Amino acid sequence: MQKSLLFIFLILGSLSQSFAQGGKIVYNRKYNWINIATKLPYLSQEEKDRIKTYWGKEDEDNKGTNFLLTYNDSGSVYKEMEKVENLGYDWSDEEDIFIRDFDQKTTKDIRILLGKKYVIEDDIPRYKWKILNELKDIGGYVCMKAELKDTINDVVIQAWFTDKLPGSLGPEGFGGLPGTILALDFNDDDVNIIATKIEVIEDDKVELPFPKKIKGKPLKYAEYYAKKKKHILLSIEGKRNPYWEMRY
Amino acid sequence: MKNIFSLIVLLLLSLVTQAQRYEVKGTLQDTLGEPLIAATVMLMDMDSILLDYTQTDTKGAFIFKGIKEKNCLLKTSYLGYFPLTVAIQQPNDTKLDLGVLKMTEIAKELMEVVIKEARAPLRLKGDTVEYDASQFKVPEGSTLEALLRRLPGLEVSQEGDIQADGKGVTKLTVDGKTFFSDDPKFAIKNLPAEGVSKVQVFDKKDEEALLTGKSTPSDEKTMNVELKDEFKKGGFGKVTAGVGTENRKELKGNYNKFDSKNQLSLVGVANNTGRNGLSWNDRQDFMGSNNVDDNDDYDYGFANWRYYNQESSLESKIGNAFWSGNNDGFPRYVIGGINYNYDHKKNKVSGRYFFQNNGNDKDILTDSRTFLSEYFLDNHSTENQGKSSVSHKVETRYQYDFDSLLTAIATLDFSKANTSDNQQGQAEIFRDGDLLSSSTEFNNSSEIDGRLMNTSLLLRKKFKKAGRSIGVNGSYLKTDITDFQKRFSDNQFYNLSGILDSTLSIKQLNYDTLDKTVYKVNALMSEPLTKKWFFKVFYNLSSREENGDRYVKDQNEDNSLTLNNGLSRLYQNTITNHRIGSIISYAHKGINFSVGGARQLFDLNGHYASPDVTLFNGRVEKKYRVWLPNVSFGGAITRNTWLSAEYTVAVREPTIENLLPVVDYSNPLYIKEGNPDLLPTYNNYTSLWFNHSWPADAIRIYMSIGYSSSKNQIIQNQTVDENLVTRSKPINFDGGNEVWVTTGISFPIIRNKLKVRTSLYTTKNNSFSIVNDVLNETNSLKWWPNLYIEILPSDKVAIYANSNLSINNTEYNIHTSQNQNIITQNYNIDFNANFAKGWFWNSTLRYALYKNERFGIEQNVPIINLSVYKQILKGNKAEIRLSLYDALNKNISVNQSTSVSRVFSSTTFSLARYVMLSFSYNIKGMKSTVTKNDNYW
């Protein structure tokens, strides 16, 4: 009986959430460099096995990086959360920030590529999502699966989205689905992003945490992707992991 | 009028578009006929690419307008209901009414599981319910039946009949294939639950359902069981065997087998070529996942200068055996090792055994010149060295993770080593170049046996509050060494007119034993002050106790032995260090800065005595207290610029050899004496490291600068008597500094085709010695320019050219006429080609030039190595290789160096020309490419 009540409550809860003004979602982004390295085309099977046996266990300590997606009716900001390093050392790099304006349907993303900082003011990219038949629960939300072919990294991106959070948005600037993306998987666990905390705010106006200054060389997404693609192709040709110096 | 015209145009336009586009509408209801409100409805093309989406209104109705695709799919989604997919075809008119679409409710039990469990143990793929078996706990050894009983929505009767969602499961497959019989009862009673990763239950599907995912009701269910993906299971290995002329042979093999919990590896090497030994890759293969935790015996607090190379072969870890690479002379190696790692959940266990039997025979010619106050001495010697060593090592390690915050690690190592060393030869010493002053024939040998036990325990505790942690570790090491030495020599001394003055025959046997005990305790506590500032306190204790006996016996004419009480010593030495300190550090956004200080206490105790205590009996009791400051910075100052800097003071205690008040007569012309009064040496060390890269262009520049100055440096105080016998004693001396600068740049001229790397290392230092009460200062300036060019015109050809020079300029403050300029030049060209399918060519040309104008030395050593090989067998699993080493038969190794008041040059005769035919087999296929595995800039 109690379970049924909970069930009804959840359904009612998710219905009313449709009228929410905004929210905050914490995503954990895990970069699995062993998976990336062992898929490099120029390595022999022995070299791939060696990476797996030698470094595999090391990667278990990888706790990933937390990002916060803050959204309201007019836009969203996705950026790295502040953290405290356990050992008192911090070797982190500056992270990308994704800023969306839903009214203008534009981006004002801060993207760092090969050591250069760009501000990309462009139309919100349109993605050709393929809707699949699987369902999964993430943080109490039933999610549907969608898939996307990423021609820059030449990989498949899988997204889990829920129509119970109505915003057509998600981590890393992804969106365009009938609901919010709660998980993303690049190329079968090369990079894995999953929502760990979902907070829907109904009553108050959610303030977007815009960065204090948005400075960088202006660029369009077409040019950004061209630069990225060029680096990947040159690195693979030179037998070097392109993601050593570039965000996936 | 105008308006009417516009209206007509509009009407026409809308007619045109209406002709191409259509709309679709419908209403969603549940099976009881209630409308489903705010359900998501998606419109997709036939590849399931999302075109548009909407939500149903309060009556459950939806509508899509302006559809242009001929064929579409419509998909609905509503919490607690199976998604519904409907195929749509363009209607003849512009409107298509799908009417009422009914969605089926998902069994409540299943839905609760989906909602409650964060790590969904259950997935719904269309109409398929998939259970993640690992999320349902069953006792070990259970069958699949026991597992199925735990799955929500499934019922298993006493007889083994399965019901899913109220329907009978009539078919069971394993990985999609029939398991012996179609009867599910047979399978569920025979399959172990442990091997199952997923259980899927679904209705029988027809072709339409497979395409659209639309569920068609069926009275029977099928169950599919997926076995665990043994993706992590595998093995790799290779073996190489070769035979050559000059009786050269080599054999090398390794094998690895691993799954998600276990790793087993074997390595073996036997050769008398000094080539094809152990490499970094072999180390990775052998150690497996345990490599990273290889050194738990670390000191907390700020880093000390560490002198790993001072470890004796007995104390050296197994991992260090993989980078020994001195191949001059005629080396031979026999190496074998086995390693096992078990790693599962909270337990990590590893153990390894390593065996080494190495030897080397060398003939060495040595010339050296020593400057004394009024004259210089030249020493010409020829010597044959024979060395062999046998060692066995066992290392074990156990790690237990109590939880994600508390970890304990225990290690226990044993090692046993035997080394024999023989040196025989002769030496002549000339005064001022041509006046013979002495000659010696010597025959020395040493036989060392050692045993080691080393154990450690470490505890690491982290707290929920990020940045707070405590670490404690302790270790205990014990070694026993016996060293039996023979020192036989016949010496003739000549006077200034070149006439034999005296002779001396030495026949000594030394029996040394040394017991050493070292224990260490380290503790560290770290506390965050804010999110960016941290405070750490640390404590280190290390204590070394040595008990040694040296019994020296003189062999008499009649071969009887007499104990030499004057040279024999019994000694006891304890050196204890306490260090306590604290650090304040800042860490934020890639910038790290820390300031710290520590107080160190040295407590030195020693007792030295002859077996006849009336001859010699001395004690040392000393305490020193020192302050140790430390400042460090490290971080990315811009996105592509890395900068680090450090100032630290390291204090090193004197070595036991230097503290020993034992006179060493092993070389009667060079008598060494210890000094129990020595103080620890201070090194003030400042360094700066800078790196900048342009990653888009593959360009990198770097520079490092370091400066060190010493206090209480230990230098030799030498006195040379009229018979040219040198007595040397270490003393403390204030002074001596060194500065070094390295700069380099790496850039492509043509990306991925032509790459250049160039660097320059330069160092300047001064050092001191005292000869016959005169202070000698030596200033040395070294330049090492290096140029590397990589040419890769195609996938089939690779050329690597490298030149490095070493220019070593030494200046003496007293004997300025002896100032030296030693130049070593090395040029290498590698040419590799894949000249036909499966055929490869490797060639190396090395040219070395050694020059010292003052000594009149000019030696050229050209080495050419060639090999051709062919890949064979399916999957290129094997290769046959024919190699010619040192085609010109010129291989020797030359060593040149200068030190305080001494210039040294030696030539070692080494293995030269031979031909070898070898065969390699690799389970995973040989990787043959012409390029080197070197992809850094």
Side-chain angles (χ1 to χ4, degrees):
Chain A
M1 184 61 201
Q2 229 170 3
K3 280 180 182 173
S4 320
L5 275 176
L6 176 78
F7 183 60
I8 291 162
F9 172 75
L10 273 164
I11 291 179
L12 287 174
S14 34
L15 278 175
S16 58
Q17 277 155 21
S18 311
F19 310 105
Q21 288 193 357
K24 290 176 181 182
I25 304 175
V26 178
Y27 292 93
N28 184 266
R29 181 183 197 266
K30 208 179 254 185
Y31 181 93
N32 297 311
W33 75 268
I34 289 171
N35 286 351
I36 295 169
T38 50
K39 285 172 195 159
L40 292 170
Y42 53 84
L43 292 181
S44 71
Q45 189 55 47
E46 184 183 86
E47 286 165 318
K48 292 174 181 178
D49 283 353
R50 181 174 295 135
I51 293 172
K52 253 183 249 170
T53 50
Y54 195 69
W55 298 109
K57 294 290 176 186
E58 178 82 335
D59 212 37
E60 286 180 357
D61 295 335
N62 178 2
K63 297 217 164 36
T65 311
N66 284 333
F67 284 81
L68 180 68
L69 174 70
T70 312
Y71 64 92
N72 60 24
D73 292 339
S74 59
S76 71
V77 174
Y78 176 81
K79 65 178 195 181
E80 190 186 0
M81 290 174 78
E82 279 219 18
K83 61 183 170 195
V84 176
E85 290 295 326
N86 219 331
L87 294 167
Y89 296 102
D90 183 347
W91 306 124
S92 61
D93 288 332
E94 196 176 343
E95 269 287 358
D96 291 11
I97 300 176
F98 296 82
I99 301 169
R100 297 294 143 105
D101 182 331
F102 297 149
D103 299 332
Q104 305 293 320
K105 295 195 165 47
T106 52
T107 69
K108 200 170 191 179
D109 295 351
I110 300 171
R111 304 294 307 259
I112 291 150
L113 181 66
L114 301 172
K116 284 211 175 74
K117 194 171 185 174
Y118 300 103
V119 173
I120 307 186
E121 294 191 66
D122 206 338
D123 296 333
I124 292 179
R126 296 182 65 87
Y127 301 102
K128 282 182 84 177
W129 289 109
K130 180 174 182 169
I131 308 293
L132 302 173
N133 281 324
E134 286 178 58
L135 290 182
K136 181 163 111 172
D137 173 278
I138 296 167
Y141 291 88
V142 176
C143 292
M144 297 178 87
K145 189 174 179 180
E147 202 174 78
L148 181 67
K149 179 91 183 125
D150 172 1
T151 52
I152 310 304
N153 294 300
D154 198 17
V155 299
V156 170
I157 300 170
Q158 292 183 339
W160 294 90
F161 68 97
T162 177
D163 54 358
K164 297 304 160 222
L165 295 173
S168 180
L169 44 94
E172 309 272 305
F174 284 93
L177 284 163
T180 302
I181 299 169
L182 293 184
L184 276 177
D185 177 17
F186 296 74
N187 198 23
D188 206 358
D189 211 12
D190 277 4
V191 176
N192 212 322
I193 300 171
I194 186 156
T196 53
K197 195 178 159 197
I198 301 160
E199 188 189 348
V200 178
I201 300 161
E202 292 171 54
D203 313 330
D204 295 331
K205 171 89 182 146
V206 178
E207 289 295 324
L208 297 182
F210 291 109
K212 281 184 197 114
K213 51 179 183 183
I214 300 177
K215 262 174 80 178
K217 204 183 152 194
L219 202 72
K220 292 291 177 193
Y221 260 112
E223 301 164 286
Y224 172 84
Y225 288 133
K227 281 176 193 286
K228 199 168 175 179
K229 186 86 193 164
K230 183 183 166 198
H231 176 73
I232 291 171
L233 293 176
L234 278 172
S235 298
I236 299 286
E237 188 196 23
K239 298 186 178 180
R240 187 182 156 84
N241 186 343
Y243 304 104
W244 277 358
E245 55 269 317
M246 188 181 74
R247 194 179 197 273
Y248 197 91
Chain B
M1 186 64 202
K2 224 177 178 182
N3 283 342
I4 293 169
F5 179 72
S6 310
L7 197 70
I8 293 167
V9 170
L10 258 172
L11 269 170
L12 281 171
L13 267 174
S14 59
L15 276 174
V16 170
T17 43
Q18 291 281 326
Q20 290 165 337
R21 299 182 182 226
Y22 62 100
E23 64 172 57
V24 172
K25 65 177 183 181
T27 306
L28 284 189
Q29 289 180 359
D30 66 11
T31 43
L32 302 173
E34 293 295 317
L36 295 172
I37 305 160
T40 303
V41 187
M42 288 171 274
L43 187 72
M44 311 181 296
D45 69 8
M46 294 308 285
D47 294 325
S48 297
I49 304 292
L50 184 67
L51 301 170
D52 199 0
Y53 60 85
T54 186
Q55 282 196 334
T56 53
D57 60 19
T58 48
K59 288 171 184 147
F62 64 90
I63 184 161
F64 287 105
K65 290 182 178 172
I67 305 169
K68 57 181 180 194
E69 281 74 12
K70 248 180 120 93
N71 290 294
C72 292
L73 295 172
L74 189 120
K75 184 167 181 159
T76 68
S77 155
Y78 194 75
L79 184 71
Y81 291 76
F82 282 110
L84 192 68
T85 310
V86 180
I88 292 171
Q89 222 173 14
Q90 183 164 15
N92 293 329
D93 60 355
T94 58
K95 287 181 181 172
L96 178 66
D97 191 344
L98 298 171
V100 172
L101 300 170
K102 296 223 170 187
M103 290 180 77
T104 318
E105 202 173 351
I106 301 172
K108 205 167 68 185
E109 294 80 8
L110 298 189
M111 207 56 219
E112 276 175 14
V113 176
V114 173
I115 289 173
K116 271 196 308 194
E117 299 280 339
R119 274 192 66 191
L122 178 151
R123 273 183 173 191
L124 301 167
K125 286 184 177 179
D127 70 329
T128 304
V129 181
E130 181 182 284
Y131 301 88
D132 179 356
S134 66
Q135 299 296 310
F136 298 92
K137 298 274 172 278
V138 287
E140 240 171 270
S142 299
T143 60
L144 177 58
E145 187 177 351
L147 175 69
L148 294 184
R149 287 183 194 279
R150 304 208 169 212
L151 303 185
L154 281 188
E155 272 171 51
V156 185
S157 74
Q158 215 57 32
E159 291 74 40
D161 292 319
I162 313 165
Q163 294 257 313
D165 208 7
K167 294 169 187 169
V169 175
T170 53
K171 186 179 175 179
L172 191 141
T173 55
V174 175
D175 286 338
K177 294 180 190 105
T178 307
F179 180 77
F180 295 110
S181 91
D182 265 358
D183 183 9
K185 284 184 216 169
F186 176 79
I188 66 171
K189 290 192 188 296
N190 286 287
L191 273 173
E194 212 179 2
V196 176
S197 85
K198 286 174 190 164
V199 176
Q200 298 160 336
V201 183
F202 46 85
D203 292 342
K204 193 172 172 284
K205 287 179 188 172
D206 57 22
E207 276 307 305
E208 191 205 332
L210 285 173
L211 173 72
T212 62
K214 184 183 172 184
S215 55
T216 43
S218 165
D219 290 341
E220 292 179 8
K221 293 255 178 191
T222 299
M223 178 180 283
N224 179 47
V225 175
E226 269 188 36
L227 297 182
K228 270 184 189 152
D229 180 16
E230 299 285 62
F231 140 83
K232 280 187 165 176
K233 197 166 170 177
F236 57 93
K238 58 177 182 287
V239 63
T240 297
V243 284
T245 58
E246 312 292 317
N247 205 18
R248 297 298 122 183
K249 296 182 190 79
E250 55 187 37
L251 181 68
K252 179 182 169 183
N254 67 347
Y255 179 70
N256 283 55
K257 194 171 155 51
F258 59 93
D259 59 30
S260 57
K261 294 178 198 165
N262 304 283
Q263 292 184 355
L264 176 73
S265 50
L266 301 165
V267 67
V269 170
N271 72 52
N272 58 4
T273 58
R275 286 177 216 278
N276 218 346
L278 297 172
S279 66
W280 167 246
N281 281 348
D282 294 316
R283 185 181 190 276
Q284 295 188 58
D285 291 348
F286 182 66
M287 312 279 266
S289 68
N290 194 234
N291 67 88
V292 194
D293 315 304
D294 192 31
N295 197 357
D296 294 319
D297 179 32
Y298 53 87
D299 301 334
Y300 290 124
F302 32 75
N304 250 325
W305 273 15
R306 297 228 231 150
Y307 295 86
Y308 292 107
N309 53 359
Q310 279 194 348
E311 280 183 351
S312 67
S313 65
L314 191 65
E315 287 175 45
S316 170
K317 287 263 187 180
I318 289 173
N320 296 337
F322 289 81
W323 28 64
S324 53
N326 189 5
N327 293 326
D328 53 353
F330 291 80
R332 64 185 163 75
Y333 293 99
V334 178
I335 293 166
I338 179 166
N339 181 71
Y340 173 71
N341 300 334
Y342 172 84
D343 191 337
H344 184 54
K345 290 183 181 160
K346 294 180 164 187
N347 294 288
K348 286 182 188 165
V349 183
S350 72
R352 62 183 78 105
Y353 165 73
F354 202 76
F355 167 80
Q356 252 180 311
N357 183 346
N358 298 345
N360 203 338
D361 273 312
K362 292 182 187 179
D363 284 309
I364 304 170
L365 289 181
T366 308
D367 293 304
S368 72
R369 178 171 291 182
T370 309
F371 322 118
L372 302 165
S373 26
E374 280 110 32
Y375 52 89
F376 61 88
L377 295 175
D378 288 341
N379 185 334
H380 306 293
S381 77
T382 60
E383 178 180 327
N384 173 268
Q385 274 186 10
K387 262 192 179 175
S388 72
S389 70
V390 179
S391 69
H392 303 266
K393 287 177 197 280
V394 175
E395 290 174 6
T396 60
R397 181 181 187 280
Y398 176 61
Q399 175 173 341
Y400 184 76
D401 296 320
F402 292 91
D403 52 47
S404 62
L405 299 174
L406 180 62
T407 296
I409 300 166
T411 67
L412 180 62
D413 302 346
F414 294 99
S415 146
K416 187 176 179 305
N418 170 276
T419 308
S420 334
D421 201 341
N422 271 295
Q423 293 164 6
Q424 52 187 346
Q426 56 202 29
E428 285 182 325
I429 295 176
F430 294 88
R431 186 175 169 135
D432 287 334
D434 50 7
L435 184 63
L436 181 67
S437 84
S438 71
S439 70
T440 305
E441 278 187 33
F442 57 89
N443 187 351
N444 298 333
S445 73
S446 137
E447 185 86 24
I448 304 173
D449 276 300
R451 288 183 306 164
L452 165 140
M453 199 270 284
N454 190 1
T455 181
S456 73
L457 183 68
L458 180 145
L459 282 173
R460 222 170 11 215
K461 171 79 184 154
K462 293 178 192 165
F463 294 85
K464 290 234 167 68
K465 183 171 184 183
R468 181 184 288 172
S469 63
I470 293 177
V472 183
N473 69 59
S475 67
Y476 175 84
L477 176 141
K478 185 160 171 52
T479 61
D480 298 320
I481 294 170
T482 61
D483 183 1
F484 173 59
Q485 296 164 20
K486 285 185 190 170
R487 307 241 170 255
F488 291 0
S489 62
D490 287 313
N491 306 282
Q492 278 104 40
F493 300 95
Y494 299 87
N495 66 18
L496 287 174
S497 338
I499 292 161
L500 185 68
D501 190 59
S502 62
T503 62
L504 175 66
S505 179
I506 297 176
K507 286 187 173 177
Q508 265 177 7
L509 302 177
N510 296 347
Y511 302 84
D512 285 11
T513 62
L514 173 62
D515 293 353
K516 185 169 86 167
T517 309
V518 179
Y519 64 87
K520 292 182 183 172
V521 175
N522 298 295
L524 173 79
M525 219 181 85
S526 172
E527 179 68 27
L529 299 173
T530 68
K531 277 186 178 175
K532 299 170 189 174
W533 290 90
F534 300 85
F535 179 70
K536 290 176 203 166
V537 256
F538 60 89
Y539 169 72
N540 315 105
L541 162 68
S542 103
S543 179
R544 186 175 90 207
E545 190 184 323
E546 292 171 321
N547 284 302
D549 307 329
R550 160 167 282 207
Y551 291 103
V552 179
K553 292 177 182 172
D554 293 316
Q555 190 171 14
N556 303 317
E557 296 276 308
D558 60 353
N559 286 339
S560 64
L561 298 173
T562 311
L563 181 68
N564 185 331
N565 280 321
L567 294 180
S568 299
R569 287 288 182 275
L570 311 176
Y571 62 91
Q572 226 176 6
N573 238 326
T574 308
I575 299 172
T576 307
N577 279 312
H578 297 269
R579 190 174 72 161
I580 184 158
S582 63
I583 301 170
I584 287 184
S585 63
Y586 170 88
H588 186 61
K589 288 196 171 165
I591 297 288
N592 299 278
F593 172 74
S594 79
V595 186
R599 182 79 166 152
Q600 187 162 2
L601 167 74
F602 291 83
D603 191 346
L604 282 76
N605 270 291
H607 178 215
Y608 310 93
S610 163
D612 178 358
V613 288
T614 57
L615 284 177
F616 189 91
N617 188 9
R619 263 177 207 284
V620 180
E621 273 181 42
K622 283 198 187 302
K623 277 191 172 69
Y624 310 100
R625 283 182 179 83
V626 295
W627 282 106
L628 303 169
N630 182 290
V631 182
S632 77
F633 171 85
I637 51 171
T638 73
R639 273 180 296 278
N640 294 319
T641 311
W642 173 263
L643 184 77
S644 70
E646 185 174 31
Y647 167 72
T648 183
V649 175
V651 179
R652 187 150 62 113
E653 71 266 30
T655 62
I656 191 72
E657 285 84 0
N658 278 336
L659 284 169
L660 266 184
V662 179
V663 182
D664 181 358
Y665 283 99
S666 60
N667 181 347
L669 302 181
Y670 193 84
I671 297 162
K672 288 188 279 186
E673 192 182 340
N675 180 358
D677 297 328
L678 287 176
L679 300 178
T681 301
Y682 288 56
N683 276 302
N684 293 288
Y685 175 77
T686 314
S687 67
L688 185 83
W689 162 255
F690 165 85
N691 184 73
H692 184 81
S693 62
W694 289 268
D697 302 314
I699 301 173
R700 186 171 89 94
I701 57 168
Y702 60 90
M703 180 182 234
S704 94
I705 301 171
Y707 173 77
S708 85
S709 64
S710 319
K711 194 183 154 200
N712 287 340
Q713 196 189 353
I714 293 166
I715 64 164
Q716 297 298 322
N717 182 2
Q718 299 180 330
T719 49
V720 183
D721 68 14
E722 59 279 5
N723 285 330
L724 301 182
V725 174
T726 304
R727 292 184 75 92
S728 174
K729 182 178 180 178
I731 58 162
N732 285 121
F733 178 82
D734 283 348
N737 54 53
E738 181 166 14
V739 58
W740 58 95
V741 179
T742 308
T743 54
I745 180 165
S746 164
F747 59 95
I749 294 175
I750 306 168
R751 190 76 187 270
N752 294 335
K753 302 274 180 212
L754 181 57
K755 180 162 85 182
V756 176
R757 268 208 299 262
T758 178
S759 67
L760 175 66
Y761 172 75
T762 169
T763 171
K764 188 177 183 311
N765 67 56
N766 58 0
S767 46
F768 299 88
S769 76
I770 297 169
V771 181
N772 291 349
D773 298 327
V774 178
L775 181 69
N776 285 250
E777 181 179 349
T778 310
N779 285 294
S780 159
L781 178 65
K782 280 180 195 155
W783 299 92
W784 291 357
N786 182 35
L787 177 68
Y788 170 88
I789 300 171
E790 185 182 289
I791 308 164
L792 306 170
S794 78
D795 285 351
K796 312 251 178 209
V797 178
I799 301 161
Y800 302 94
N802 185 23
S803 82
N804 59 67
L805 309 183
S806 152
I807 302 157
N808 187 350
N809 191 290
T810 310
E811 290 181 351
Y812 300 96
N813 70 329
I814 309 274
H815 309 282
T816 50
S817 62
Q818 296 295 344
N819 292 348
Q820 303 285 323
N821 202 18
I822 296 178
I823 300 172
T824 305
Q825 301 172 53
N826 277 298
Y827 303 96
N828 294 339
I829 295 179
D830 288 6
F831 176 83
N832 303 331
N834 175 201
F835 58 92
K837 193 173 185 308
W839 284 89
F840 290 82
W841 166 269
N842 277 7
S843 59
T844 306
L845 167 66
R846 291 214 159 96
Y847 186 75
L849 190 78
Y850 304 92
K851 210 166 162 183
N852 182 340
E853 277 174 6
R854 278 213 56 79
F855 261 17
I857 293 175
E858 194 168 332
Q859 248 174 324
N860 306 324
V861 184
I863 305 283
I864 295 175
N865 296 333
L866 311 168
S867 71
V868 60
Y869 59 98
K870 167 87 176 88
Q871 293 179 329
I872 53 169
L873 301 184
K874 203 178 145 195
N876 296 329
K877 286 195 172 170
E879 127 193 334
I880 288 183
R881 184 188 285 254
L882 183 68
S883 312
L884 168 63
Y885 292 104
D886 188 14
L888 306 174
N889 209 16
K890 293 276 193 188
N891 192 23
I892 50 169
S893 36
V894 178
N895 233 324
Q896 300 189 99
S897 67
T898 60
S899 66
V900 177
S901 67
R902 190 156 177 261
V903 184
F904 170 90
S905 158
S906 79
T907 305
T908 307
F909 296 92
S910 299
L911 176 61
R913 179 164 59 204
Y914 65 98
V915 177
M916 180 160 275
L917 180 68
S918 55
F919 172 82
S920 301
Y921 180 84
N922 188 328
I923 296 173
K924 294 276 175 132
M926 300 296 296
K927 190 192 185 181
S928 306
T929 76
V930 294
T931 52
K932 291 181 182 176
N933 200 3
D934 161 24
N935 45 19
Y936 68 97
W937 306 327

